Amino acid sequence: MRRDVVPSTLRLIVDCSFDDLMVLKLLAHGKAFCGGLSEGLCKNKLCCIQDVKKLHKQIQRCYAENRKAFHPVQFYLTSHGGQLKSNMNENDKGWVNWKDIQIRTEHYSELIKKEDLVYLTSDSPDVLSELDERKAYVIGGLVDHNHHKGITYKKAVEQGIGHAQLPLGNFVKMNSRKVLAVNHVFEIILAYLEKRDWKEAFFSVLPQRKGAVPLGEANDSSQRALSEKEDLSYELQIIL
């Protein structure tokens, strides 16, 4: 039986102000160019339209998960417009009827008091220990972080707002760089609000393909691998 839903006062914002980085145009002959740049430059400097579609799907996932959460957050999409809005109009016309979400064209700084804002960015030196449900946490609506390293942290610093990273490194050993998809961050926040345990929240959400393992287990595995390697070396020496 489903427990009673108790909405959280925590505000969770997906910042969609990166649309200007997603300017790929497909020419008639099928060759991709970004804002007049060659395809090679495009890959280094700009996101592509596929990233707009990915962001849309991630936002859909956030919306769906929030609707069925035990402690749904106050969900905002800010700076909504441009290619993202066009893609949503084309592929998901029902978004205009979404409930329990504020979809706004304004920047989050126009809607939320500066002192309430905390930008979630893996580049921040500050690590969250717990969530403050009086705050408004911002997730950068950017898919390809590898081409824009540090951009969300830089944005937070320039705007003079709070910033922090999830305590991922305290609990999780990952094979890949610790930048998570928009929906993963969103779902981890929802899971933490329900479980009040970061480790449980991370491992209920993180995909196995990222190679996420508990930090202690990762160290144990490394020690076992080293021990096995030493044993093998010793055996070979005896044989030789």
Side-chain angles (χ1 to χ4, degrees), residues 3-4 12 58 81 84 105 108 148 153-154 173 185 211 218:
R3 289 173 285 169
D4 291 335
L12 199 48
Q58 290 175 12
L84 175 62
T105 58
Y108 55 79
H148 305 282
Y153 174 59
K154 181 181 178 183
K173 174 68 176 178
V185 177

Side-chain angles (χ1 to χ4, degrees), residues 146-204:
N146 288 324
H147 291 164
H148 305 282
K149 291 180 182 178
I151 190 171
T152 51
Y153 174 59
K154 181 181 178 183
K155 184 175 185 178
V157 171
E158 288 176 347
Q159 293 174 358
I161 63 175
H163 49 78
Q165 60 170 290
L166 297 178
L168 188 67
N170 294 346
F171 301 95
V172 184
K173 174 68 176 178
M174 296 180 67
N175 292 336
S176 57
R177 184 168 172 253
K178 58 178 182 179
V179 175
L180 305 176
V182 170
N183 60 292
H184 291 150
V185 177
F186 197 102
E187 291 172 53
I188 287 167
I189 298 293
L190 291 177
Y192 179 81
L193 289 173
E194 179 184 345
K195 303 173 186 298
R196 298 293 171 175
D197 183 291
W198 283 117
K199 185 176 180 180
E200 285 190 37
F202 288 132
F203 285 100
S204 67

Side-chain angles (χ1 to χ4, degrees), residues 6-40:
V6 180
S8 171
T9 57
L10 183 146
R11 290 157 289 177
L12 199 48
I13 301 164
V14 176
D15 171 21
C16 303
S17 65
F18 300 98
D19 198 77
D20 61 326
L21 297 178
M22 306 184 195
V23 293
L24 184 74
K25 297 177 181 178
L26 192 63
L27 302 183
H29 52 70
K31 189 171 179 61
F33 285 83
C34 283
L37 299 174
S38 70
E39 188 174 3

Side-chain angles (χ1 to χ4, degrees), residues 80-91:
H80 183 252
Q83 293 180 99
L84 175 62
K85 183 177 181 181
S86 296
N87 187 74
M88 291 173 72
N89 285 336
E90 182 179 348
N91 298 299

Side-chain angles (χ1 to χ4, degrees), residues 1-6 65-72:
M1 181 181 294
R2 181 176 168 82
R3 289 173 285 169
D4 291 335
V5 172
V6 180
E65 291 299 316
N66 198 48
R67 290 281 288 168
K68 65 183 183 183
F70 291 121
H71 301 296

Side-chain angles (χ1 to χ4, degrees), residues 48-90:
C48 63
I49 197 65
Q50 283 79 10
D51 287 341
V52 177
K53 292 180 178 179
K54 287 178 184 177
L55 177 60
H56 175 202
K57 289 185 180 298
Q58 290 175 12
I59 290 170
Q60 286 177 313
R61 180 66 180 263
C62 294
Y63 174 73
E65 291 299 316
N66 198 48
R67 290 281 288 168
K68 65 183 183 183
F70 291 121
H71 301 296
V73 297
Q74 311 302 308
F75 186 11
Y76 289 73
L77 282 187
T78 61
S79 301
H80 183 252
Q83 293 180 99
L84 175 62
K85 183 177 181 181
S86 296
N87 187 74
M88 291 173 72
N89 285 336
E90 182 179 348

